[in-house]
Amino acid sequence: MAEINNETLNRIADALERIAPLDSDKPSLDGADAFIWYTDPDRLIPIKDISRVDLELLQGIDHVRDILLQNTEQFAKGFAANNALLWGARGMGKSSLVKAIHGKLSELALVEIHREDIPSLPRLLEVIRSSERRCILFCDDLSFDNDDGTYKSLKAVLEGGIEGRPKNVIFYATSNRRHLMPRDMMENERSTAINPSEAIEEKVSLSDRFGLWLGFHSCNQEDYLKMIDGYLDHYKINADRNMVHAQALTWSRTRGARSGRVAFQYLQDLAGRMGVSL
């Protein structure tokens, strides 16, 4: 075998240094309060202007608001806290609540992971584990369909793996489905599986990994109008309340729902017609 001289070794070392990633290229939780996780390549994109509303503007969800705020404050102080699943009616402030609580506790980092990137979750947790910063890991609109096996990796990360989740991370997810899977999928499992109860148990056990289940339900007319009034006061919109209430109720009927989202959409329309900048 030909002898490798020092010059050749130096060239090999130089080549390896060029292709090796620099430390500065590695994802980190520095430089911002919120990030979005992207893959290919793995990176954390800092978000300077976070889209959120003040916690006080979220009306009609007082009970779940207080529970999630207490849980997050415990986590921020280094005490025990639970992963949380926020499930229920559309437009009732599930994701808005997570972002609003982060606004109150901005010493925490907020990292959003998209549902389609869940398979990369172990790599993201390694990034967070290497940081001293405490972090809320957030997945909006989490759900799984037929033949989707990614829920198994999420189960292991939440509680079931050897390492478990890092001590400096807590996982919050929102979903329209309490068990994260459509009812017809669960019924199909019952009708086709050799042991239906075991097939359902495996899938339902994913939501069991969340220590907190917080339900969000469609609001009544009184809470809907409180939302409208809260927005009027916050944005200092001077308008006749009786007229606004009548218009807001008509607006909700055209949408077929009363929710925080519908209330804010009406407010945007009202502010635009009145020439008020939000």
Side-chain angles (χ1 to χ4, degrees), residues 59-68 84-90 92-94 97 173-179 211-219:
Q59 302 287 334
I61 56 171
D62 303 38
H63 181 59
V64 292
R65 177 200 64 201
D66 293 345
I67 292 174
L68 191 65
L85 174 62
L86 289 66
W87 67 276
R90 300 187 306 273
M92 280 305 296
K94 297 185 293 295
L97 179 58
T174 70
S175 179
N176 295 331
R177 304 163 179 169
R178 183 172 183 176
H179 292 297
L212 289 179
W213 285 7
L214 302 178
F216 290 67
H217 309 286
S218 297
C219 64

Side-chain angles (χ1 to χ4, degrees), residues 144-149 177 182 184-186 188-189 203:
F144 300 94
D145 296 319
N146 291 297
D147 303 321
D148 189 342
R177 304 163 179 169
D184 61 344
M185 177 179 174
M186 298 173 69
N188 183 61
E189 291 282 3
K203 291 179 169 56

Side-chain angles (χ1 to χ4, degrees), residues 75-191:
F75 173 70
K77 294 174 182 176
F79 301 139
N82 277 300
N83 299 314
L85 174 62
L86 289 66
W87 67 276
R90 300 187 306 273
M92 280 305 296
K94 297 185 293 295
S95 61
S96 295
L97 179 58
V98 174
K99 291 183 287 186
I101 287 178
H102 172 254
K104 299 278 285 187
L105 301 168
S106 57
E107 70 270 20
L108 301 174
L110 178 67
V111 176
E112 182 173 5
I113 181 171
H114 297 138
R115 178 250 170 275
E116 59 270 20
D117 291 326
I118 288 295
S120 71
L121 192 50
R123 302 199 302 274
L124 173 55
L125 290 182
E126 281 305 308
V127 173
I128 298 173
R129 195 189 305 272
S130 65
S131 171
E132 295 182 358
R133 193 171 185 187
R134 301 185 77 78
C135 172
I136 300 172
L137 183 54
F138 173 52
C139 184
D140 193 22
D141 197 21
L142 179 64
S143 62
F144 300 94
D145 296 319
N146 291 297
D147 303 321
D148 189 342
T150 57
Y151 73 92
K152 294 181 180 178
S153 63
L154 181 56
K155 280 172 59 176
V157 166
L158 287 176
E159 294 294 345
I162 294 176
E163 288 186 299
R165 62 181 169 94
K167 298 296 184 183
N168 63 329
V169 65
I170 198 166
F171 189 81
Y172 289 171
T174 70
S175 179
N176 295 331
R177 304 163 179 169
R178 183 172 183 176
H179 292 297
L180 301 175
M181 301 186 186
R183 183 175 296 277
D184 61 344
M185 177 179 174
M186 298 173 69
E187 293 300 329
N188 183 61
E189 291 282 3
R190 287 194 178 95
S191 63

